[in-house]
Structure formats: C-alpha cells, structure tokens
C-alpha cells in the first residue's frame, strides 16, 4: 500500500534499523544510564547548544504532556492554536494527564503571532483566572506551514516579556528546518525557545521522541515527571539509538528534506487542476487540497489519505521520507484525471 495519509504510515529508515541493531550488543544499564543515551546527550548539545538536556520518551503526545507538566504550575495554562495537535489530536491528554488548561487561539494557517496571543494575556493577577504560563507552537504546523526564526523570536520575546515560556511541538521540526535550510538550533535555541518536543518518528524512526529543555534551570525534575507520566523507557538505549541516528550524518535533513521535496513536486503537478485549490500554503511535507464534489471519496478508494475537515471539505496529503517520485506522479495523474472528469460531468 502506497499513499499520502500520514508520515506515520511509512516504515523505518534503514540507517535507524542499523542503529537499533548496533545498540543490541550485550548488557547495558537500564533507564537511560547507558552509553548510547550518553552519546545522544552529546549529539543534542552539539545540535542545540551546550544547555540542551534531552529526556527520551516513547511518543509525541507523551513529550508534549511531560513538557507541560514539568514547566507549568497547577494554575497555569497553555496558549496554543485551535488547530494544534495538543488541542485536537491528543484526546485531551494535556488537560486530563497534564492537568493544564489550553487557551486556544484562532489562527490563519495554524500559526500564532504575538498579536494573536495578546488577548490571552489577561487577568494575570486575578486569583479566579487561569494564568497563561506557556505558549506552545508547532513547527512545522499541523497545516503544513512553517515558522521562520524571526517569527519564533518574536513569540519568545513576547512570552518572556510576560513571564511565560515558549514550547515548540517539533513532531516535524526536521521538516521545518529542512524547508528553511537552517539547522535545528536556528529554530529552537537561537530563536529563544525554552523547551522542545523533538520529533523523530515521522522522520523515519521506529518510535522515539524527546523532551529537550534548552535552559539549565528548566531541566530540574523532568526525569521524575517523565517517570510519573509513564514515558520512562527501561531499555532506553534502543530509543536513544534511533534519535542518535536521526542526528547523525544529517539523516533528519535528508529524510525531511526529501518529504518536503515530494510535497512540492505534488503541489507543482496538480497546480491548475480544474476544481482543485489548496487551503494552505505548501511549506513543508503536507498539502491541504479542496476538491470537486465526490473526488476525494473516489481517490480514497485507490489512495489512502485523510479528509482533514468534513465541514469544509479540506483533505490532507502527506509525504514521507520514503515517498517516491513515481508515487507522486501516479497520484497526481489520478488526481488530475478524476478532477477533470468531475468538473466535466457538472459542466
Ligand atoms: C504536530 C504533532 N504533534 C505531536 C504528534 C505526536 O503524536 P504521537 O503521540 O502519536 O506520537 C503528532 C503526530 O501526529 C503531530 O502531528
């Protein structure tokens, strides 16, 4: 089955498999006291700066919840986009497990700005109100758009000016950095980000992410919160090996850059197709098309992809590290022919 449903549908990159196999030698201390995890910490510091401290976890929802639990006090909330994964795709885990309230904001194309956050900075000293303690942005966003370093810097300055921290949900951080042709540090540490959910699964790992604190004073207690949150892996070396591979030999840039390039190829191939329009700019590895009536269902009988919003008819086509040019070209030809037929039938 080849399709455009999710970058999670893709398999594991061979270099990651090799790294897991290489870690599978003899006994190693458990719970992160192993040599592979120590090497990963060094890689993280080389990539993100000397104050970076990584806490490896099993998945992205867990990373987001651990970051929130670790950095927020019980009465503090999180400003995020309405479309944020933490708000719409984590089954309420930030609220239920994290114990925090999400303070959502309507955004164009999934991106927050200081101006959009400003109305949420109210009643800071009112004992009856939830006080914002964090701004959480996703990069690349759930709608396939990308925050540039200066946009993140503006959000960090705004957050810090009001005593908040800036969290980046980087489930697709690699896609953002590859799209901008910058290093991971430029859109995290150097942009004033305080805490990061470093994604890896969508970039070709079997399943490993990390909470990364970027200022030393923020790391205190994160290890205990991770344990309480059931995200502490006993055989951590096999998760760390994946993340080490991701950060070695530019694997993140190669996998995410390829996925982005395939999305661009698909966007170019379907440009001008009758009845097709894109709801959001294509800046990373996803397209959000609106199609003529009936076309999505017909295509979905041949190609897996998600209807993103039933109400608006927006679909999502997601490219992965292993999407091929042949996949894209065959799908684009089918999209074009199916749209043309649908438009002709209604003419
Ligand atoms: C933006 C974003 N954040 C976080 C996640 C992590 O989710 P999971 O808990 O499935 O690893 C995802 C996965 O789809 C995502 O798209």
């Amino acid at each position: 089955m080849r399709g455009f449903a999710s970058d999670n549908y893709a398999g594991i990159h061979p270099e990651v498999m090799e790294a897991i196999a290489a870690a599978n030698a003899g006994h190693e201390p458990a719970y992160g006291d192993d040599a592979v995890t120590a090497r990963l910490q060094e890689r993280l510091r080389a990539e993100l700066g000397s104050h970076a401290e990584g806490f490896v976890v099993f998945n992205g929802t867990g990373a987001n919840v651990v970051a929130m639990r670790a950095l927020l006090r019980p009465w503090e909330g999180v400003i995020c986009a309405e479309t944020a994964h933490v708000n719409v795709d984590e089954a309420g885990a930030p609220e239920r497990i994290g114990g925090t309230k999400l303070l959502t904001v309507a955004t164009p194309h999934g991106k927050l700005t200081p101006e959009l956050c400003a109305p949420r900075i109210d009643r800071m000293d009112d004992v009856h109100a939830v006080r914002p303690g964090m701004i959480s942005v996703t990069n690349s966003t759930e709608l396939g758009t990308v925050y540039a370093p200066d946009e993140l810097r503006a959000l960090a300055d705004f957050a810090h000016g009001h005593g908040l921290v800036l969290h980046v949900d980087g489930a697709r951080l690699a896609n953002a950095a590859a799209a901008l042709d910058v290093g991971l540090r430029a859109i995290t540490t150097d942009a004033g980000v305080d805490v990061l959910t470093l994604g890896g699964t969508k970039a070709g790992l079997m399943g490993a992410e990390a909470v990364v604190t970027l200022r030393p004073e923020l790391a205190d207690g994160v290890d205990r919160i991770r344990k309480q949150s059931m995200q502490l892996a006993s055989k951590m070396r096999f998760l760390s090996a994946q993340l080490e591979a991701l950060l070695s030999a530019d694997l993140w840039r190669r996998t995410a850059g390829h996925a982005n390039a395939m999305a661009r190829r698909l966007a170019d191939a379907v440009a001008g197709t009758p009845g097709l329009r894109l709801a959001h700019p294509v800046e990373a590895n996803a397209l959000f098309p609106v199609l003529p009536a009936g076309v999505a269902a017909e295509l979905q009988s041949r190609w897996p992809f998600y209807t993103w919003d039933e109400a608006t008819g927006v679909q999502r086509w997601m490219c992965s590290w292993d999407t091929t040019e042949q996949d894209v070209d065959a799908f684009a030809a089918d999209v074009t022919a199916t749209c043309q037929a649908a438009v002709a039938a209604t003419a």
Side-chain angles (χ1 to χ4, degrees):
M1 179 186 65
R2 307 290 299 181
F4 295 82
S6 171
D7 30 14
N8 282 334
Y9 277 41
I12 304 162
H13 194 282
E15 289 173 40
V16 176
M17 280 301 214
E18 280 168 27
I20 295 170
N24 193 26
H27 284 203
E28 276 282 338
Y31 296 110
D33 291 331
D34 59 274
V36 187
T37 303
R39 288 202 311 264
L40 172 63
Q41 292 294 358
E42 279 169 29
R43 284 295 323 140
L44 283 169
R45 292 198 182 104
E47 214 46 74
L48 299 171
S50 58
H51 294 310
E53 187 148 351
F55 301 88
V56 175
V57 295
F58 294 108
N59 58 40
T61 302
N64 289 337
V65 170
V66 167
M68 289 174 188
R69 288 194 68 207
L71 269 60
L72 294 172
R73 288 187 282 179
W75 56 89
E76 290 180 326
V78 177
I79 300 174
C80 65
E82 264 176 6
T83 49
H85 196 270
V86 291
N87 186 43
V88 293
D89 277 314
E90 297 189 355
E95 286 102 338
R96 180 79 173 90
I97 311 297
T100 190
K101 183 172 172 64
L102 299 180
L103 306 165
T104 60
V105 176
T107 60
H109 307 307
K111 285 172 64 176
L112 287 172
T113 61
E115 295 69 32
L116 289 170
C117 293
R120 283 300 197 171
I121 307 286
D122 66 346
R123 301 175 65 195
M124 294 295 274
D125 298 320
D126 181 347
V127 72
H128 302 285
V130 168
R131 189 162 76 189
M134 174 184 279
I135 296 175
S136 178
V137 299
T138 310
N139 207 16
S140 55
T141 73
E142 294 77 1
L143 300 179
T145 50
V146 170
Y147 287 91
D150 59 331
E151 294 173 312
L152 293 162
R153 168 53 69 184
L155 281 160
D157 289 348
F158 176 83
H160 299 156
H162 293 282
L164 282 62
V165 293
L166 179 62
H167 167 248
V168 169
D169 176 348
R172 297 189 184 86
L173 191 77
N175 298 90
L180 294 161
D181 198 18
V182 298
L184 299 177
R185 186 178 168 137
I187 50 172
T188 53
T189 317
D190 290 352
V193 173
D194 300 291
V195 63
L196 168 69
T197 290
L198 175 63
T201 310
K202 294 171 202 310
L205 306 194
M206 180 161 75
E209 322 269 312
V211 177
V212 187
T213 52
L214 298 169
R215 287 195 279 124
E217 66 274 23
L218 301 180
D220 187 38
V222 181
D223 50 355
R224 298 288 174 98
I225 299 268
R226 174 178 57 179
K227 176 68 184 182
Q228 281 188 339
S229 306
M230 296 161 280
Q231 288 283 329
L232 178 63
S234 52
K235 294 192 182 179
M236 194 184 291
R237 63 176 143 147
F238 299 107
L239 278 69
S240 298
Q242 299 174 55
L243 287 159
E244 187 189 24
L246 183 76
L247 299 177
S248 302
D250 258 359
L251 181 62
W252 66 264
R253 193 185 291 283
R254 286 184 280 131
T255 55
H258 174 80
N260 292 352
M262 292 302 99
R264 175 44 46 207
R265 184 181 181 94
L266 182 54
D268 290 346
V270 299
T273 298
L276 181 153
R277 72 175 172 84
L278 295 178
H280 305 292
V282 180
E283 296 177 353
N285 62 326
L287 282 73
F288 289 85
V290 182
L291 302 167
V295 168
E298 187 179 336
L299 288 170
Q300 280 166 333
S301 69
R302 297 186 286 272
W303 302 90
F305 63 85
Y306 289 117
T307 296
W308 202 243
D309 187 334
E310 292 283 354
T312 57
V314 174
Q315 315 295 321
R316 187 184 77 168
W317 297 338
M318 183 71 85
C319 295
S320 315
W321 68 266
D322 70 343
T323 302
T324 65
E325 293 184 354
Q326 291 74 14
D327 293 332
V328 169
D329 296 350
F331 181 52
D334 198 357
V335 168
T336 303
T338 310
C339 285
Q340 278 169 349
V343 169
T346 56

